[in-house]
Amino acid sequence: MGMTSWRRSSRSGTSGQSNCVEVGRLSGDIVIRDSKNPAGPRFRLSADDFRRLAADIRHGTYDAP
């Protein structure tokens, strides 16, 4: 399976000034990139690791104190 199209959260807004990430699928894994720098670095996670990361974010694990 090759790369699918990139998706952005609907909560990101429509302006080019939004701080957001985009996600896509690559051979069953999840790939994450900065929407303002699409040619820049990408992070590749297994689907299970991505689910854990998303759950941690929802629970505030990485929020600044």
Side-chain angles (χ1 to χ4, degrees), residues 2-30:
M3 185 71 189
T4 61
S5 60
W6 292 97
R7 293 180 21 192
R8 184 183 303 181
S9 170
S10 60
R11 295 182 183 201
S12 296
T14 56
S15 80
Q17 301 302 314
S18 298
N19 293 322
C20 58
V21 296
E22 296 174 320
V23 296
R25 282 187 139 329
L26 179 63
S27 301
D29 289 340
I30 306 297

Side-chain angles (χ1 to χ4, degrees), residues 24-62:
R25 282 187 139 329
L26 179 63
S27 301
D29 289 340
I30 306 297
V31 185
I32 305 168
R33 71 180 183 183
D34 181 347
S35 63
K36 288 191 235 166
N37 185 13
R42 298 173 181 181
F43 300 95
R44 185 173 179 170
L45 302 167
S46 71
D48 287 339
D49 285 341
F50 180 78
R51 279 191 285 278
R52 281 190 287 275
L53 174 63
D56 285 349
I57 291 168
R58 279 191 301 275
H59 290 106
T61 302
Y62 307 108

